[in-house]
Amino acid sequence: MSNIPETGRTTRVTVRLVAIQILVFSLLLTLGGRLWYLQIRNGDEYSDEAASNHVQQVIQPATRGSILDARGVPLADNETRLVVSASRTDLMKMKDDGKAVLTRLADVLDMTPKEVMDKVRLCDSETPQPCWNGSPYQPIPITDEATTQQALQIRERAEDFPGISAEPTPVRRYAAPAESNAAQVLGYLSPVTDDEIKEAEDSESPLLRSDQIGRSGLERAYDAQLRGKAGVTRYEVDNLGRVIGQRESDKAQPGANLVTSIDSRVQAVAEKELHLAMKEARKVHDKNTGTNYKADAGAVVVMEAKTGRVVAMASNPTYDPNAWVGGISAKDYKKLTGKDSNFPLLNRAIQGQAAPGSIFKVIPTAAAVNAGYPFNGSYPCPSSYSIGGQVFKNFESKGHGSITLGQALEVSCDTVYYGLAHKQWQKDGGVDPKKNPADWFYKTAHQFGLGKETGIDLPNEVTGRVPDRQWKKNYWKANQKAWCKNGKKDGDYAERIAYENCLEGMKMRAGDAVNYSIGQGDTLVTPIQMATIYGAISNGGTLYNPTVGKAIVSSDGKKVDEIKPKSHGKLPMDAKTRKLIDDALAGVATRGTAAWRFGGWPQDKIPMHAKTGTAEVYGKQTTSWFATYTKDYAIVMTISQGGTGSGASGPAVRNIYNALYGIDKDGKIDKKKALLYQPQAKLPKIEADGTIDAQPVGKPYVAVGLGGRREDQ
């Protein structure tokens, strides 16, 4: 028997009962508090979340706005196609991840199973194209070129194709009017990514998972205006997925239309002339290398001189932007991005950088005048110029005696600019400069807008380079270790240069100054920069921000926002100097280095001004440059590894002017044949229903031989 008294045993039981009661009460109190928190304190929030779990959204994509040329002709619009799509979510629920379904689908679409399966895999850093870089919850398009018979097979045998849809869908179309391409100007679309959706959450134009957005060109620059706003229909459903009601929905709002300053007819001419000029250049023998010129890339810009509006912009090599519609194939993606592609996605008019050669000379001419050297002074033009033991030769080693700065522009005398740049370099202190050197030649280049973006309304413009003293210091700091490691005093050319740069690469040497004065050395420009400069010389001195967009027109036509020309500065010269340079450039076209390309030109009616350029590039053949302007237009063309400026680019530029002004081979003007005798001032007519009245395009431009007249056939 237990020796514990009865009273002690009772006390212990009582304590236990009390403890259990306290524990139960505590649990009930905790549970009650939690229920109060969930149902009262945060009741509305959880109620909304619960309701949303039973709401399904159906997205109606907005119709993307069209991109139109200056006459209302569609450059990019939409067309209805039969689109076959796959729901990755449904496929992943299948035991084989949908492989059997996709294999059957491939057979219907006349594709290989691999082609179809590659389309639905998700993109990441290790997955090559084709792949899907949009939301994994969004239907993934397999093809936008399905036939009616293929679509019917899929829909009538729905049990064999779970997760597969075949629907008529509006898709982007790049129309290529007059056989113009304009790929780099227009850009292309691809699906939105989750990161982009998150970034745009608080913006004025949020993104939906179904959206396609612009990736380059105008499609990217004006994406928010073109995209519109997708419609969303919200359905209430029960836990079995049955619709039990409809909630408030948002109607789709179509995107606005973008009217550009591009004339599709002139664009076609520019593209074909550039292509033909490159083709012809490859037939010419380069005596320096012993082979024909490679002419591997080029660009041309046609700009309104008085506004900066771009009438045509061509880049070569190019591509078909329709390749991106519905998802790009592996074959096409490799063509566009492979190491042998020569990067056709680049817009070389705004992203191609090269030494400008002699078309740069308008800048040191203005710099010399600003530094106090008289324009009509007398300057020696010997066949060569020596600095220490280094000899800098004139082009083709010709001498012209003593000439003015205007004559130096006409005959493109290098040694005049060598002498001026060398003297100014010495005045500024040479390799040990004064505390505040004047640096007129570099300062003036910056004032012309070089070394920075022009502000064109296209993405990814590059800045070019003005190799002034500060750039030299920065470049030396970045490369000193590599130079000192690889440089050899008695090595090959590259090793000797590295050795010299290791020791004093931060200093501005005499050779740097004289090379820079003729657009050589480390100087880099883009075609759009030079077109802006030559346009400014034409218009009286205003440097305009180049623009391609001309107006944004709402889908109903009621709202028109015109994009007005804007200026980013004035040329650093007075009216007298500008007039003298203008006269000299007219002399280039009539009696100077470009005269042989403008024989028979109606100079009395349409004064032509020009400057040729042949830039040397280490390890490559020379770059061809041709810069020109009239009272209406500035045209600049460049061809990489194409030879001389007047030789390779000159004939093509002349033929673009012939087409613009309607000039025949005898120099007679026929305004009826002119594509754009004067720049297009007015916007195309907008009808009451919002449609834009497009003017006829005419027949495609046909090239009939370099140097001859191109006509609409």
Side-chain angles (χ1 to χ4, degrees):
M1 292 184 62
S2 172
N3 294 324
I4 301 174
E6 189 67 29
T7 55
R9 191 175 296 162
T10 302
T11 302
R12 184 182 297 175
V13 171
T14 302
V15 170
R16 288 178 179 174
L17 287 173
V18 170
I20 291 171
Q21 288 174 342
I22 292 173
L23 178 61
V24 170
F25 180 76
S26 298
L27 291 172
L28 289 172
L29 185 64
T30 300
L31 180 61
R34 183 60 178 166
L35 288 172
W36 176 87
Y37 180 80
L38 294 175
Q39 295 186 18
I40 307 301
R41 175 70 172 78
N42 279 12
D44 291 342
E45 177 183 343
Y46 287 105
S47 177
D48 289 343
E49 286 192 14
S52 68
N53 288 336
H54 293 83
V55 174
Q56 293 292 332
Q57 295 187 155
V58 177
I59 306 296
Q60 295 87 38
T63 301
R64 192 172 180 87
S66 297
I67 300 175
L68 310 170
D69 84 348
R71 302 163 70 247
V73 178
L75 298 170
D77 57 7
N78 307 290
E79 65 178 356
T80 300
R81 297 187 191 175
L82 283 171
V83 177
V84 175
S85 302
S87 169
R88 197 172 188 279
T89 302
D90 290 343
L91 295 174
M92 292 300 103
K93 293 177 182 178
M94 302 175 191
K95 291 182 178 179
D96 62 350
D97 294 334
K99 289 181 181 179
V101 173
L102 294 176
T103 300
R104 287 194 293 273
L105 180 63
D107 185 55
V108 171
L109 298 177
D110 295 325
M111 299 170 68
T112 66
K114 184 179 186 304
E115 286 175 325
V116 174
M117 291 175 191
D118 284 352
K119 290 267 190 175
V120 300
R121 63 184 179 177
L122 302 181
C123 291
D124 57 32
S125 59
E126 297 179 356
T127 303
Q129 288 282 351
C131 58
W132 178 249
N133 69 343
S135 168
Y137 306 106
Q138 178 184 341
I140 301 172
I142 304 299
T143 180
D144 60 5
E145 297 179 340
T147 65
T148 304
Q149 184 178 359
Q150 289 170 335
L152 285 174
Q153 277 186 269
I154 294 167
R155 300 189 72 165
E156 289 175 355
R157 295 164 49 199
E159 67 280 3
D160 291 333
F161 299 101
I164 306 299
S165 62
E167 302 288 344
T169 307
V171 297
R172 204 59 164 165
R173 177 184 75 126
Y174 297 97
E179 296 184 356
S180 61
N181 176 265
Q184 294 86 355
V185 176
L186 294 171
Y188 59 91
L189 305 175
S190 71
V192 66
T193 65
D194 287 343
D195 288 342
E196 288 166 336
I197 292 173
K198 188 174 182 180
E199 288 176 8
E201 282 178 353
D202 299 325
S203 70
E204 295 181 3
S205 183
L207 295 168
L208 297 175
R209 294 191 184 279
S210 60
D211 281 333
Q212 296 243 330
I213 62 173
R215 293 298 177 191
S216 67
L218 294 171
E219 293 279 30
R220 176 175 168 183
Y222 292 94
D223 181 73
Q225 294 90 341
L226 291 166
R227 186 174 1 107
K229 187 177 180 181
V232 181
T233 302
R234 301 175 181 87
Y235 294 101
E236 292 184 17
V237 297
D238 61 18
N239 57 0
L240 296 178
R242 295 173 298 195
V243 176
I244 59 176
Q246 184 173 338
R247 287 197 169 192
E248 183 180 353
S249 300
D250 302 321
K251 290 184 178 180
Q253 298 175 10
N257 298 314
L258 174 67
V259 178
T260 72
S261 54
I262 297 291
D263 186 300
S264 55
R265 303 165 305 167
V266 181
Q267 178 71 27
V269 173
E271 290 172 0
K272 291 178 182 179
E273 287 294 348
L274 175 62
H275 173 74
L276 185 59
M278 293 170 62
K279 186 177 178 181
E280 291 292 319
R282 295 182 194 121
K283 299 177 183 177
V284 178
H285 185 73
D286 178 11
K287 62 183 180 181
N288 294 320
T289 63
T291 61
N292 285 5
Y293 287 106
K294 295 179 181 178
D296 55 352
V300 61
V301 175
V302 182
M303 179 187 290
E304 293 179 9
K306 293 182 175 67
T307 64
R309 287 183 171 135
V310 176
V311 178
M313 177 182 284
S315 180
N316 195 302
T318 189
Y319 66 97
D320 181 2
N322 288 298
W324 293 90
V325 176
I328 193 166
S329 69
K331 182 180 179 181
D332 286 339
Y333 188 78
K334 185 177 180 180
K335 282 183 180 178
L336 297 181
T337 60
K339 70 176 183 179
D340 296 328
S341 68
N342 202 14
F343 311 108
L345 296 178
L346 280 178
N347 183 347
R348 286 174 164 82
I350 66 170
Q351 295 174 295
Q353 303 180 109
S358 291
I359 68 166
F360 181 76
K361 286 176 180 172
V362 294
I363 294 163
T365 299
V369 174
N370 292 343
Y373 299 94
F375 189 92
N376 288 321
S378 181
Y379 304 96
C381 177
S383 61
S384 63
Y385 189 89
S386 298
I387 299 176
Q390 192 170 4
V391 177
F392 296 86
K393 292 184 178 181
N394 205 3
F395 182 67
E396 295 183 348
S397 300
K398 290 182 179 179
H400 296 276
S402 291
I403 57 177
T404 66
L405 290 178
Q407 291 170 323
L409 281 173
E410 286 184 25
V411 300
S412 204
C413 179
D414 293 341
T415 50
V416 165
Y417 295 97
Y418 292 155
L420 290 169
H422 190 205
K423 285 180 182 177
Q424 191 59 42
W425 174 81
Q426 290 173 323
K427 285 183 179 180
D428 287 334
V431 291
D432 297 310
K434 300 174 182 177
K435 185 176 181 181
N436 294 303
D439 279 341
W440 282 108
F441 284 76
Y442 301 98
K443 177 182 177 181
T444 303
H446 286 294
Q447 292 171 332
F448 267 81
L450 297 183
K452 60 184 177 183
E453 299 172 357
T454 63
I456 190 170
D457 54 343
L458 290 173
N460 302 320
E461 181 187 6
V462 299
T463 63
R465 182 167 69 206
V466 177
D468 54 20
R469 295 181 194 275
Q470 187 58 52
W471 177 84
K472 288 281 288 183
K473 291 178 182 177
N474 295 342
Y475 193 63
W476 181 75
K477 288 179 181 178
N479 293 280
Q480 182 191 15
K481 288 183 179 179
W483 284 333
C484 294
K485 180 181 179 181
N486 300 319
K488 293 181 181 179
K489 186 176 182 179
D490 300 319
D492 59 23
Y493 177 77
E495 290 170 333
R496 293 198 307 273
I497 292 295
Y499 177 79
E500 292 176 13
N501 286 337
C502 169
L503 298 178
E504 53 179 26
M506 82 299 289
K507 295 184 177 182
M508 182 70 70
R509 293 170 289 200
D512 296 322
V514 299
N515 263 330
Y516 165 79
S517 72
I518 61 164
Q520 292 285 176
D522 293 308
T523 309
L524 294 176
V525 302
T526 64
I528 194 67
Q529 288 175 327
M530 299 313 294
T532 301
I533 287 170
Y534 276 81
I537 298 172
S538 171
N539 70 37
T542 302
L543 290 160
Y544 283 105
N545 296 9
T547 51
V548 183
K550 196 172 183 179
I552 297 167
V553 182
S554 63
S555 59
D556 58 8
K558 294 179 179 179
K559 185 178 180 183
V560 179
D561 293 325
E562 190 169 352
I563 301 167
K564 300 286 187 181
K566 293 181 180 179
S567 166
H568 60 264
K570 291 279 188 180
L571 293 178
M573 63 178 79
D574 58 26
K576 180 181 177 182
T577 302
R578 191 207 65 82
K579 182 62 171 61
L580 290 168
I581 290 176
D582 181 78
D583 290 342
L585 295 175
V588 174
T590 56
R591 56 183 178 269
T593 56
W596 68 303
R597 290 307 189 191
F598 285 103
W601 179 263
Q603 190 73 8
D604 57 332
K605 296 180 177 65
I606 307 172
M608 176 63 65
H609 307 75
K611 188 72 194 80
T612 58
T614 306
E616 296 179 0
V617 182
Y618 176 70
K620 291 186 176 183
Q621 295 168 309
T622 55
T623 300
S624 168
W625 285 92
F626 204 67
T628 60
Y629 65 84
T630 61
K631 59 184 176 60
D632 305 299
Y633 304 104
I635 301 180
V636 173
M637 180 178 285
T638 184
I639 300 176
S640 169
Q641 303 196 89
T644 65
S646 60
S649 301
V653 171
R654 166 70 186 264
N655 285 320
I656 295 172
Y657 278 116
N658 287 348
L660 281 167
Y661 287 113
I663 299 173
D664 65 18
K665 61 182 180 180
D666 297 320
K668 294 181 180 179
I669 301 171
D670 185 347
K671 292 185 180 180
K672 292 181 180 179
K673 290 185 177 181
L675 295 183
L676 205 59
Y677 192 81
Q678 293 179 332
Q680 180 85 20
K682 295 181 180 179
L683 293 173
K685 183 181 178 182
I686 303 170
E687 304 292 352
D689 61 356
T691 59
I692 296 176
D693 186 19
Q695 298 180 39
V697 175
K699 295 179 182 179
Y701 177 77
V702 178
V704 296
L706 198 64
R709 174 74 175 100
R710 270 73 160 160
E711 296 179 352
D712 289 339
Q713 301 294 313

